[in-house]
Amino acid sequence: MPSYRHRIASLLLICYLPACTSYRTSTLEPREAAAEEGALRVTYADRHDTTRVRVKDPWVHNDTLGGTPCTVDRNRRRQCDAADTLAVPLTSVIEIETIRTSASKTALVVVGTTLTLALVAGAAAMAAWDGPFGGCCN
């Protein structure tokens, strides 16, 4: 029967799996991508530079792509302010990326976590082992 530590470790592993994602360049038109996805990463040209921003709940109306822009603070936490709205002309959009689950990252997390748990269990077993001759230095 698994101990509570095994259950906690399994729960933590399951919690990490949704983070195994990456952005992929979309082959869809902006209108189709906005209709199908809950979030996009949009690269667009503004006055003198290009800007890349994550857009939550994207929409396309006439010739404008919009949604709620998300920023990353200095603690690397993503914040999406529903009060803000981003509106970009479709003619300025350079690239649209969608979020996809990465099989290789997921496999790496599963294998890495499994190996770590096996090493910890092995170390705990070795620490409790008395050896082949009944212990040491008695």
Side-chain angles (χ1 to χ4, degrees), residues 36-111:
E36 290 183 15
E37 302 293 331
L40 300 172
R41 189 162 70 177
V42 179
T43 304
Y44 63 94
D46 48 11
R47 292 186 181 135
H48 304 289
D49 203 5
T50 60
T51 302
R52 178 181 282 171
V53 65
R54 183 172 190 262
V55 179
K56 182 179 168 191
D57 301 325
W59 49 263
V60 174
H61 182 69
N62 294 332
D63 64 343
T64 304
L65 172 68
T68 303
C70 299
T71 58
V72 177
D73 65 11
R74 61 182 167 169
N75 295 326
R76 302 195 48 88
R77 288 184 301 225
R78 184 173 288 124
Q79 297 180 354
C80 304
D81 187 2
D84 285 343
T85 301
L86 175 74
V88 178
L90 288 176
T91 55
S92 298
V93 174
I94 298 169
E95 182 179 55
I96 293 179
E97 297 170 290
T98 57
I99 300 171
R100 294 285 176 240
T101 301
S102 174
S104 59
K105 289 180 183 178
T106 302
L108 186 62
V109 167
V110 170
V111 169

Side-chain angles (χ1 to χ4, degrees), residues 2-15:
S3 70
Y4 73 94
R5 289 182 182 171
H6 290 126
R7 291 184 184 133
I8 291 172
S10 298
L11 179 64
L12 287 175
L13 176 62
I14 291 169
C15 290

